[in-house]
Amino acid sequence: QVQLVESGGGLVQAGGSLRLSCVASGRTFSDYALGWFRQAPGKEREFVAAISRTGLSTYYADSVKGRFTISRDNAKNTVYLQMNSLKPEDTAVYFCAASPVLGTPSSTNDYNYWGQGTQVTVSS
């Protein structure tokens, strides 16, 4: 089992920045790829970004490419999502997740463990 706890969400104006963190506990952190997903009201959960076990590979949704950066610190069992140039359409609950799949998986089906989510609201 892997337990994931997100933090760092909040209310920010358009053009602002937020940094989300997700701390993991349980099994070996470096055995898992990590991802961030988001879900807006009335919409399906969608992929945002993923990072490989070593942190050497990352992958982003087109909607956030160039604005968001995913990183991980295996010594701290933590994955981060730096979000810059935020837009109102980025408003959603953001979830971190852990996957045993190699590489940078982008499907929710590839992830076994999920955090409880943290709300990000971007005002116009």
Side-chain angles (χ1 to χ4, degrees), residues 8-118:
L11 174 64
V12 64
Q13 288 189 332
S17 297
L18 281 175
R19 187 195 198 201
L20 305 183
S21 300
C22 176
V23 178
S25 60
R27 304 186 73 170
T28 305
F29 186 69
S30 58
D31 284 348
Y32 295 88
L34 300 166
W36 285 97
F37 291 76
R38 66 188 182 186
Q39 189 166 17
K43 295 188 176 181
E44 292 188 354
R45 192 168 298 190
E46 66 173 3
F47 170 76
V48 175
I51 189 165
S52 63
R53 298 179 182 189
T54 61
L56 293 178
S57 297
T58 57
Y59 180 59
Y60 298 91
D62 287 344
S63 59
V64 306
K65 200 173 298 183
R67 299 187 298 122
F68 291 10
T69 302
I70 188 172
S71 62
R72 66 188 294 166
D73 185 337
N74 285 351
K76 296 182 178 180
N77 286 4
T78 303
V79 60
Y80 305 97
L81 186 68
Q82 178 66 43
M83 306 186 294
N84 298 329
S85 303
L86 283 161
K87 305 174 181 180
E89 50 264 45
D90 294 319
T91 295
V93 177
Y94 282 70
F95 300 89
C96 71
S99 169
V101 173
L102 292 175
T104 53
S106 59
S107 170
T108 57
N109 293 330
D110 290 328
Y111 288 82
N112 295 356
Y113 303 104
W114 294 83
Q116 83 289 347
T118 185

